[in-house]
């Protein structure tokens, strides 16, 4: 298998990528963890593609001057995490469907900027890693403010809405955004007092949280409901295009329309990278709904007849914000009672 972009086989590309792994022998981070992190990142970021072969254990061990048993342990850890698969005589290859890590490139940019700024201030990578670990450990315990996790089906909406909640309750909460699918993992790793989402995802969030925390289902403003009713009122046989950053997001858009009573309307879904599906939507759709993330990436300019394009986004209804306020106040009051009743 060769790559038309550089003329190298998959094995040649993966060998070259694997040789980019390096170890810091004076680091506090164990060598096996250093190697695991780097290989996992190369898979997450697409530098190692599904099916590509990693260097043989002894070859990578010799290149890094590391005991082969350490490399074997790293490969086993990668296999346990779903990144690679190994067969006797065939070597270790990147899994056909490695675990999906959303936003790997965005995270890499955040880390690079953090390291750059730390270096300007005279701090080394180990000091940055230690500070990040300590900060993460602190997040496993209750903070001074109420800790809120806002869950949505796309990163753009989760981040945007978390920021809006933070602005609305600046002195009362610390808030983060998260994908709905990530809720169980986030609750396992960090402390939160509340989970918030929109009414459209309330049942799903409740199931994922599984009774561990209160879930506040927030109402959305009338503008969004008017858009949903517009689609529900289209004549039978109309076509509606749904474009979102992820297949999951497009599915949620379709589910919301179905719950609203939309019948007799054909829904055409596409992710932002699906050129063929987007072209079909452009040619045939009567109305085109674009997620916030799709608008942020300029997809609205891709369609002819822009009067068909609608923004699939919402504002919080004041009643939704009031629900959050009451939940925040309840958490704060519970903390005060527990503090008073705690033994001296």
């Amino acid at each position: 298998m060769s790559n038309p972009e550089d003329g190298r086989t998959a094995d040649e590309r993966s060998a070259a990528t694997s040789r980019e792994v390096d170890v810091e022998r004076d680091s506090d981070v164990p060598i096996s963890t250093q190697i695991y992190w780097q290989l996992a990142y190369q898979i997450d970021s697409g530098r190692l593609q599904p099916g590509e072969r990693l260097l043989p254990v002894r070859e990578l061990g010799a290149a890094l001057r590391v005991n082969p048993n350490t490399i074997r342990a790293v490969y086993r850890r990668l296999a346990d995490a779903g990144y690679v698969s190994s067969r006797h005589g065939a070597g270790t290859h990147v899994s056909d469907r490695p675990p999906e890590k959303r936003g790997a490139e965005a995270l890499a940019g955040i880390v690079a900027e953090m390291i750059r700024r730390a270096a300007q201030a005279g701090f080394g990578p180990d000091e940055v890693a230690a500070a990040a670990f300590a900060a993460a450990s602190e997040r496993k315990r209750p903070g001074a403010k109420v800790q809120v996790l806002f869950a949505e089906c796309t990163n753009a909406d989760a981040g945007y809405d978390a920021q809006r909640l933070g602005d609305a309750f600046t002195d009362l909460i610390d808030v983060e955004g998260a994908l709905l699918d990530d809720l169980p993992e986030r609750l396992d790793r960090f402390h939160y007092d509340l989970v918030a989402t929109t009414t459209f995802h309330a049942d799903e969030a409740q199931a994922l949280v599984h009774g561990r925390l209160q879930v506040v289902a927030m109402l959305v403003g009338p503008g969004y409901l008017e858009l949903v009713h517009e689609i529900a009122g289209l004549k039978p046989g109309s076509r509606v295009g749904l474009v979102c950053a992820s297949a999951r997001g497009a599915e949620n858009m379709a589910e919301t329309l179905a719950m609203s009573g939309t019948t007799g309307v054909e829904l055409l879904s596409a992710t932002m990278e699906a050129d063929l599906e987007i072209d079909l939507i452009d040619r045939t759709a009567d109305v085109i709904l674009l997620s916030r993330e799709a608008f942020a990436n300029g997809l609205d300019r891709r369609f002819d007849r822009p009067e068909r394009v609608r923004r699939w986004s919402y504002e919080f209804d004041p009643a939704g914000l009031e629900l959050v306020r009451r939940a925040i106040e309840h958490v704060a009051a519970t903390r005060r009672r527990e503090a008073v009743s705690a033994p001296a």
Side-chain angles (χ1 to χ4, degrees), residues 195-203 206 215-219 319-320 323-324:
V195 171
T197 188
T198 63
T199 51
F200 303 110
H201 299 303
D203 291 344
Q206 290 279 11
V215 175
V216 181
M218 301 182 64
L219 300 170
L323 285 174
V324 175

Side-chain angles (χ1 to χ4, degrees), residues 1-335:
M1 184 168 60
S2 64
N3 183 342
E5 294 182 0
D6 59 17
R8 295 182 296 171
T9 66
D11 284 352
E12 288 170 340
R13 294 198 312 277
S14 61
T17 304
S18 297
R19 289 192 184 99
E20 294 177 6
V21 175
D22 197 8
V23 296
E24 297 287 342
R25 299 185 188 279
D26 58 350
S27 172
D28 290 334
V29 180
I31 287 175
S32 62
T33 300
Q34 294 182 41
I35 298 170
Y36 173 84
W37 281 348
Q38 291 176 77
L39 290 175
Y41 172 74
Q42 289 181 21
I43 296 170
D44 287 339
S45 62
R47 292 162 66 186
L48 281 171
Q49 291 289 317
E52 292 189 14
R53 181 172 178 263
L54 273 62
L55 283 178
V57 166
R58 292 192 177 278
E59 188 174 338
L60 183 56
L64 299 177
R65 293 183 292 120
V66 171
N67 190 303
N69 288 333
T70 299
I71 305 301
R72 287 192 186 94
V74 169
Y75 283 7
R76 282 197 300 271
R77 186 176 171 188
L78 289 168
D80 290 341
Y83 282 109
V84 302
S85 59
S86 300
R87 294 195 309 275
H88 183 69
T92 300
H93 294 76
V94 178
S95 299
D96 290 336
R97 298 185 66 182
E100 182 182 358
K101 297 293 183 180
R102 304 172 182 88
E105 292 184 3
L107 179 60
I110 293 169
V111 172
E113 174 63 13
M114 181 171 65
I115 291 175
R116 183 189 68 79
R117 294 178 63 180
Q120 289 178 339
F123 297 105
D126 267 17
E127 291 173 295
V128 173
F133 181 83
S137 298
E138 288 290 328
R139 288 178 54 207
K140 295 179 181 179
R141 298 185 290 274
K145 298 180 180 180
V146 174
Q147 308 297 304
V148 179
L149 187 62
F150 187 90
E152 250 290 356
C153 60
T154 69
N155 280 311
D157 284 335
Y160 180 80
D161 292 333
Q163 180 63 51
R164 288 195 291 176
L165 281 184
D167 292 342
F169 304 105
T170 305
D171 298 327
L172 300 175
I173 67 172
D174 288 324
V175 58
E176 300 171 6
L179 292 170
L180 282 159
D181 287 342
D182 292 344
L183 276 177
E185 179 185 0
R186 294 290 285 272
L187 296 182
D188 284 341
R189 295 178 60 193
F190 306 118
H191 173 87
Y192 298 101
D193 298 299
L194 297 171
V195 171
T197 188
T198 63
T199 51
F200 303 110
H201 299 303
D203 291 344
E204 189 175 7
Q206 290 279 11
L208 290 167
V209 171
H210 201 59
R212 298 163 66 177
L213 289 178
Q214 179 185 356
V215 175
V216 181
M218 301 182 64
L219 300 170
V220 298
Y224 182 79
L225 298 177
E226 288 172 4
L227 173 59
V228 172
H229 292 155
E230 176 190 349
I231 303 304
L234 291 174
K235 63 183 180 180
S238 299
R239 280 189 165 187
V240 176
L242 314 175
V243 184
C244 192
S246 66
R248 170 66 179 280
E251 290 170 5
N252 274 293
M253 293 164 73
E255 289 173 5
T256 300
L257 292 174
M259 288 189 295
S260 73
T262 301
T263 57
V265 174
E266 183 179 358
L267 303 179
L268 306 176
S269 299
T271 60
M272 295 192 303
E273 297 80 17
D275 292 334
L276 292 177
E277 288 84 352
I278 289 176
D279 287 343
L280 176 62
I281 288 173
D282 191 23
R283 293 195 308 271
T284 65
D286 300 293
V287 176
I288 301 171
L289 306 179
L290 301 186
S291 69
R292 182 178 287 111
E293 206 159 354
F295 261 98
N297 282 271
L299 258 71
D300 56 307
R301 297 190 295 272
R302 180 165 176 172
F303 297 99
D304 293 332
R305 294 187 289 137
E307 68 276 7
R308 298 177 297 163
V309 177
R310 308 285 191 276
R311 184 185 295 270
W312 183 265
S313 61
Y314 54 82
E315 299 297 327
F316 292 134
D317 187 88
L321 292 173
E322 181 60 25
L323 285 174
V324 175
R325 179 182 298 280
R326 292 181 182 180
I328 293 168
E329 291 175 348
H330 177 73
V331 171
T334 300
R335 285 186 178 181

